[in-house]
Amino acid sequence: MFIARSETAGEWKAIATAISTIVEEATFEATPQGINFRGMDPSHIALIDLNWPNSAFEKYECSQPIKIGLKIEDFVKLIKRASTNDKVELETKDESLLIKFVNSYKREYLLHLIEPYTSSTPLPKISLNSKTVLKTKSLENLLDDIQVVSETVNISAKKDQMTLEGQGDTGHAKIVLDKTNEDIISIDIKEESVATYSLPHLLDIISSLSSVSENVSVEFSTKMPIKLVFKIGAYGIDLCYYLAPRIE
Amino acid sequence: MFIARSETAGEWKAIATAISTIVEEATFEATPQGINFRGMDPSHIALIDLNWPNSAFEKYECSQPIKIGLKIEDFVKLIKRASTNDKVELETKDESLLIKFVNSYKREYLLHLIEPYTSSTPLPKISLNSKTVLKTKSLENLLDDIQVVSETVNISAKKDQMTLEGQGDTGHAKIVLDKTNEDIISIDIKEESVATYSLPHLLDIISSLSSVSENVSVEFSTKMPIKLVFKIGAYGIDLCYYLAPRIE
Amino acid sequence: MFIARSETAGEWKAIATAISTIVEEATFEATPQGINFRGMDPSHIALIDLNWPNSAFEKYECSQPIKIGLKIEDFVKLIKRASTNDKVELETKDESLLIKFVNSYKREYLLHLIEPYTSSTPLPKISLNSKTVLKTKSLENLLDDIQVVSETVNISAKKDQMTLEGQGDTGHAKIVLDKTNEDIISIDIKEESVATYSLPHLLDIISSLSSVSENVSVEFSTKMPIKLVFKIGAYGIDLCYYLAPRIE
């Protein structure tokens, strides 16, 4: 028995879209404590680790752990039909997921479940030396600026300053972030670091989540993966995203 | 001599667009009483019957019945250039239709007329047992919901309740309408009924007219055509749309 | 040494877009008095002559004349990243143009310069007999109306009246302009004139500039080029556009 009701559809829309940027089939694990998802994209470059506690739902019932396998694109397509003020209720039912939009209408979708996957993805064991917390929407805009000239972003950090750069046929783009900017919440650099990452990958995930995540924490180290932690909504949903560096 | 002036272009834009979803060439019949159009699509699945009384025009002159043949796409293209607060005046002139947008500018189009057709389309003689009146915009949204999983909608009615359903590879969609919903004006079921119709056909016509028609009446019976009656504007324009059922 | 700072990016966005409709590579000439551009499209049908005085900049430094060659599409792409309330500062630096968006962030682009061209384009020595000044946005809408039926516009002028006409397979469009219309600032006809021009060319330039130019002056004579003079912003920027007539 699994039932989860959210007050609005925003979180599900954003999170399912984010997951659909890395996999086609997603297995959610529901336990009495909440819903988790962990998965990597087929080329093992990007990883998402989601922790959605039961306290973030308006109603949550799950007597024992259950794996829910979904074609994530199909789920996104259905969930996007929810209106702004619809409550969303998910319920497993035989081989399907019942999706109810609870508002003045009684609208229901029954989505076929697929075989859940069984192997689990380990989290990378890394320690990262540079951490910047900033507005998610702002990070999206800054990376868009870099993307005008380049497909990759070079991130470097020293002292109280993080620099985003890109280089291409057209020219060069450079943005310096420090604490004087109101969109920067904090900058904490333990060690000078520099690394390069794929811009389309970063922008896919950030634009999926920027509507529901106010701030994002960005952690990286020289030639190590970048880790983005999105705080979603007001009730403790965490989505961690790891992306491997580009080796030139 | 035929002149018809409307206070706004909204009705003409919507009605001409609706007609363009079923035919390429349209023959309007103007009489001293008003303008009528009746036509079927080439595969005889859909029929539109329009009754636009002279009282719904700001100015209307028609001394004797006249048939006006138009390439409806061309007419739509021109009429869409009218601004929100333009009056629209139509006038037959030799082999052309003179379209004037009367506002601060003097804008005129002269559209070539084509040969009107002469045979007339009879209305289907059917009696339908289920009738639901609801907000046009609401019907559009609900059918959009079904279209996410299916190309057809299965409509069933019993007691005070109408149910819309669709089924496809992705899953199943189900919406129940009853009088508790504020968008439902009335439900009147004389007999349990069930039938299936093409969603793209229904959505084409409804989305053409939802900007000018507040409420729509939906009538159907088991394995019979569906009939939609759109009340347009405030002065008695009626557009009836019939669509044949899908036989599985 | 060349530095030019504008209070907003609007003028640069519009002017660079306008220039990109006629050339791929543009050479701006900066002098202590201001910035000029003059260029023709490859088929010598259209000519732009820009005069941007130093007084229209918030800060302007140019010790001696300098030619700045740009791939104009690339420049447009970068300048469009400026936000509404960003100041834009341009500065030559070695073989590049440094583009700074001065706001809360420090955003910089370095755009490679290209070889400036050296030959200069002479202005056509013509005298035109009909002049109409009207709202730029209004001219855009009227030419859009003609474009629904035609790829060219026939402009005729006599007495206090200018007429725009177009003719195509669909039908005929006709718009009469005179002083009774509030969007017409002035009409001054010295001689009856009539000529035909390409609509896509005219609409490209007008739509590029209609956001920053309130009024445009339209001058033409029988079988002569048409000349549009756009007043841009509040500080005396002039952009002249010449387009050769269509000979049937």
Side-chain angles (χ1 to χ4, degrees):
Chain A
M1 184 60 169
F2 165 75
I3 297 180
R5 186 164 68 214
S6 312
E7 261 184 88
T8 63
E11 283 87 359
W12 272 118
K13 286 185 193 183
I15 289 169
T17 303
I19 291 173
S20 76
T21 67
I22 68 160
V23 291
E24 292 184 6
E25 304 190 345
T27 293
F28 291 86
E29 297 198 54
T31 67
Q33 286 73 44
I35 296 174
N36 296 285
F37 166 84
R38 192 182 294 166
M40 292 183 85
D41 81 313
S43 52
H44 289 210
I45 289 173
L47 182 153
I48 285 178
D49 183 47
L50 167 73
N51 175 36
W52 192 334
N54 58 19
S55 56
F57 290 96
E58 188 183 73
K59 177 183 174 184
Y60 188 86
E61 289 177 22
C62 181
S63 46
Q64 55 182 37
I66 179 174
K67 292 192 175 197
I68 301 168
L70 296 174
K71 285 193 181 171
I72 193 72
E73 281 284 8
D74 287 344
F75 181 68
V76 168
K77 210 166 61 170
L78 299 184
I79 208 81
K80 284 201 169 161
R81 292 298 307 166
S83 305
T84 319
N85 42 7
D86 279 352
K87 299 187 179 205
V88 171
E89 193 170 301
L90 303 182
E91 184 179 340
T92 51
K93 203 155 193 175
D94 305 325
E95 300 303 301
S96 295
L97 184 70
L98 179 64
I99 305 170
K100 283 193 207 173
F101 299 145
V102 188
N103 195 345
S104 51
Y105 290 105
K106 295 164 190 157
R107 292 193 287 156
E108 294 182 358
Y109 287 113
L110 213 51
L111 177 64
H112 306 316
L113 292 180
I114 58 171
E115 193 69 26
Y117 50 70
T118 47
S119 69
S120 66
T121 308
L123 284 188
K125 291 202 182 81
I126 50 175
S127 99
L128 302 167
N129 292 312
S130 299
K131 180 172 174 179
T132 305
V133 181
L134 75 168
K135 302 251 181 246
T136 310
K137 197 69 202 164
S138 175
L139 182 61
E140 185 180 5
N141 284 335
L142 297 174
L143 294 180
D144 266 334
D145 285 334
I146 305 288
Q147 202 184 27
V148 179
V149 298
S150 176
E151 283 290 287
T152 60
V153 57
N154 182 278
I155 309 188
S156 57
K158 58 175 179 181
K159 280 195 195 144
D160 293 344
Q161 190 171 295
M162 196 167 93
T163 304
L164 308 175
E165 284 179 277
Q167 171 95 34
D169 291 345
T170 309
H172 187 101
K174 181 179 175 181
I175 300 162
V176 178
L177 308 180
D178 59 34
K179 284 173 192 162
T180 63
N181 188 288
E182 58 182 11
D183 291 349
I184 309 297
I185 318 301
S186 67
I187 295 190
D188 178 14
I189 316 288
K190 294 214 183 72
E191 197 176 291
E192 280 197 25
S193 307
V194 58
T196 301
Y197 305 98
S198 152
L199 270 176
H201 279 89
L202 289 175
L203 281 166
D204 268 0
I205 195 85
I206 295 171
S207 63
S208 301
L209 295 169
S210 63
S211 66
V212 294
S213 164
E214 196 176 351
N215 295 333
V216 59
S217 129
V218 178
E219 292 173 74
F220 80 107
S221 279
T222 299
K223 293 188 181 171
M224 296 287 278
I226 192 169
K227 178 184 179 186
L228 307 180
V229 183
F230 299 89
K231 300 279 174 195
I232 295 169
Y235 302 102
I237 311 171
D238 268 356
L239 189 146
C240 288
Y241 175 81
Y242 294 87
L243 180 67
R246 289 282 290 256
I247 309 301
E248 314 293 274
Chain B
M1 185 57 169
F2 164 76
I3 297 179
R5 186 164 69 215
S6 311
E7 260 182 88
T8 64
E11 283 87 359
W12 270 119
K13 286 185 194 185
I15 288 169
T17 302
I19 290 173
S20 76
T21 67
I22 67 158
V23 291
E24 291 183 7
E25 303 189 344
T27 292
F28 291 86
E29 298 199 52
T31 68
Q33 286 73 45
I35 296 175
N36 296 285
F37 166 84
R38 192 182 294 167
M40 293 181 86
D41 81 312
S43 52
H44 288 211
I45 288 173
L47 183 153
I48 284 178
D49 183 47
L50 168 73
N51 175 38
W52 193 334
N54 57 19
S55 56
F57 291 95
E58 188 183 75
K59 177 183 175 183
Y60 189 87
E61 288 178 24
C62 182
S63 47
Q64 55 182 37
I66 179 174
K67 291 191 176 197
I68 301 168
L70 296 173
K71 284 194 182 171
I72 192 72
E73 282 283 7
D74 287 344
F75 181 69
V76 168
K77 210 165 61 170
L78 300 184
I79 208 82
K80 284 199 169 164
R81 292 297 308 166
S83 305
T84 320
N85 42 7
D86 281 351
K87 298 188 179 204
V88 171
E89 192 171 301
L90 303 182
E91 184 179 340
T92 51
K93 202 154 194 174
D94 305 325
E95 300 303 302
S96 296
L97 184 70
L98 178 63
I99 306 171
K100 284 191 207 173
F101 298 144
V102 188
N103 196 344
S104 50
Y105 290 104
K106 294 162 190 159
R107 291 194 288 157
E108 293 181 0
Y109 287 113
L110 214 51
L111 177 65
H112 306 315
L113 292 181
I114 58 172
E115 192 69 26
Y117 49 69
T118 47
S119 71
S120 66
T121 307
L123 284 188
K125 291 200 183 83
I126 50 176
S127 99
L128 301 167
N129 291 313
S130 299
K131 180 173 174 179
T132 305
V133 181
L134 75 168
K135 303 250 181 248
T136 308
K137 197 69 202 165
S138 176
L139 181 61
E140 185 180 5
N141 284 336
L142 297 174
L143 294 179
D144 266 334
D145 286 333
I146 305 288
Q147 202 185 27
V148 180
V149 297
S150 175
E151 284 291 286
T152 60
V153 57
N154 182 278
I155 308 187
S156 57
K158 56 176 181 182
K159 279 197 195 142
D160 294 345
Q161 189 171 297
M162 197 166 94
T163 305
L164 308 175
E165 284 180 277
Q167 171 95 34
D169 290 345
T170 309
H172 185 102
K174 181 178 174 181
I175 300 162
V176 178
L177 309 179
D178 58 34
K179 285 172 191 162
T180 62
N181 187 290
E182 59 182 11
D183 291 348
I184 309 297
I185 318 302
S186 66
I187 295 190
D188 178 15
I189 316 290
K190 294 213 182 74
E191 198 176 292
E192 280 198 23
S193 307
V194 57
T196 302
Y197 304 98
S198 153
L199 270 176
H201 278 89
L202 289 175
L203 280 166
D204 269 1
I205 195 84
I206 295 170
S207 62
S208 301
L209 295 168
S210 63
S211 65
V212 293
S213 164
E214 195 175 353
N215 295 333
V216 58
S217 127
V218 178
E219 292 174 74
F220 80 107
S221 279
T222 298
K223 293 187 182 173
M224 297 287 278
I226 192 169
K227 178 184 180 185
L228 306 181
V229 184
F230 299 88
K231 300 280 174 194
I232 295 169
Y235 302 103
I237 311 172
D238 268 355
L239 189 146
C240 288
Y241 175 80
Y242 294 87
L243 180 67
R246 290 280 291 256
I247 308 302
E248 313 294 274
Chain C
M1 183 60 171
F2 165 76
I3 297 180
R5 186 164 69 214
S6 311
E7 261 184 87
T8 64
E11 283 87 1
W12 271 118
K13 286 184 193 184
I15 288 169
T17 302
I19 290 173
S20 76
T21 68
I22 68 158
V23 292
E24 291 183 6
E25 303 189 345
T27 293
F28 291 86
E29 296 199 55
T31 68
Q33 286 72 45
I35 296 176
N36 296 285
F37 166 84
R38 193 183 292 168
M40 293 182 84
D41 80 314
S43 52
H44 289 208
I45 289 172
L47 183 152
I48 285 178
D49 184 46
L50 168 74
N51 176 36
W52 193 334
N54 57 20
S55 56
F57 290 95
E58 188 183 74
K59 176 183 176 184
Y60 188 86
E61 288 177 22
C62 181
S63 47
Q64 54 182 35
I66 179 175
K67 292 192 174 196
I68 302 168
L70 297 173
K71 285 194 180 169
I72 193 69
E73 282 283 7
D74 287 345
F75 181 68
V76 168
K77 210 165 61 168
L78 300 185
I79 208 79
K80 286 202 168 161
R81 292 296 308 166
S83 304
T84 319
N85 43 5
D86 280 350
K87 299 187 179 206
V88 170
E89 192 171 302
L90 303 182
E91 183 180 342
T92 52
K93 203 154 193 173
D94 305 324
E95 300 302 301
S96 295
L97 184 70
L98 178 64
I99 305 171
K100 283 191 207 173
F101 298 145
V102 188
N103 196 343
S104 50
Y105 289 105
K106 295 162 190 159
R107 292 193 287 156
E108 294 181 359
Y109 287 113
L110 214 51
L111 177 64
H112 306 314
L113 293 180
I114 57 171
E115 192 68 26
Y117 50 70
T118 47
S119 71
S120 67
T121 308
L123 283 189
K125 291 201 181 82
I126 50 175
S127 98
L128 302 167
N129 291 312
S130 299
K131 180 173 175 179
T132 305
V133 181
L134 74 167
K135 303 250 180 248
T136 308
K137 196 69 202 164
S138 175
L139 181 62
E140 186 180 4
N141 284 335
L142 297 175
L143 294 179
D144 266 334
D145 285 334
I146 306 288
Q147 202 184 26
V148 180
V149 298
S150 175
E151 284 290 287
T152 60
V153 58
N154 183 277
I155 308 187
S156 57
K158 57 175 181 182
K159 279 196 195 145
D160 294 343
Q161 189 171 296
M162 196 166 94
T163 304
L164 309 174
E165 284 180 278
Q167 171 95 35
D169 290 344
T170 308
H172 185 102
K174 182 178 174 180
I175 300 162
V176 178
L177 308 180
D178 59 33
K179 284 174 193 162
T180 62
N181 188 289
E182 59 181 12
D183 291 349
I184 309 297
I185 317 302
S186 67
I187 295 189
D188 179 15
I189 315 287
K190 295 213 182 73
E191 197 176 293
E192 280 198 23
S193 307
V194 58
T196 301
Y197 304 98
S198 152
L199 270 177
H201 279 89
L202 290 175
L203 280 166
D204 267 0
I205 195 83
I206 296 170
S207 62
S208 301
L209 295 169
S210 63
S211 66
V212 294
S213 164
E214 196 175 353
N215 295 334
V216 58
S217 129
V218 179
E219 292 174 74
F220 80 106
S221 278
T222 298
K223 293 188 182 171
M224 296 288 278
I226 191 168
K227 178 184 180 186
L228 307 181
V229 184
F230 299 88
K231 300 280 175 194
I232 295 169
Y235 303 102
I237 312 172
D238 268 355
L239 190 146
C240 287
Y241 175 81
Y242 294 87
L243 180 67
R246 289 281 291 257
I247 310 301
E248 314 294 274

